[in-house]
Amino acid sequence: MNDLQKDILTAAVFITGLVGFISGEFIISSTLFASAAIVTNLNFNRKQVKAGQF
């Protein structure tokens, strides 16, 4: 999976979490927000290691 596809998937998970929060499904939206944050941090750290900035 390339970087664009990962970014689109992360954005979709975040937007789904936002819609879930608005509709009142707080447990599901919290899980989606947490997974989006974790995936974003993992991808960011992986990019830094590849670039030699770590």
Side-chain angles (χ1 to χ4, degrees), residues 41-54:
N41 285 332
L42 288 175
N43 287 337
F44 183 71
N45 289 337
R46 199 172 292 144
K47 287 178 187 176
Q48 282 184 340
V49 169
K50 282 184 182 178
Q53 297 173 353
F54 186 68

Side-chain angles (χ1 to χ4, degrees), residues 1-52:
M1 195 184 288
N2 63 17
D3 289 336
L4 179 62
Q5 290 174 336
K6 289 178 186 177
D7 290 342
I8 290 172
L9 182 62
T10 303
V13 168
F14 181 79
I15 291 172
T16 305
L18 187 63
V19 170
F21 182 77
I22 290 171
S23 67
E25 297 178 4
F26 300 114
I27 295 172
I28 294 171
S29 64
S30 297
T31 305
L32 290 172
F33 283 136
S35 64
I38 290 170
V39 168
T40 301
N41 285 332
L42 288 175
N43 287 337
F44 183 71
N45 289 337
R46 199 172 292 144
K47 287 178 187 176
Q48 282 184 340
V49 169
K50 282 184 182 178

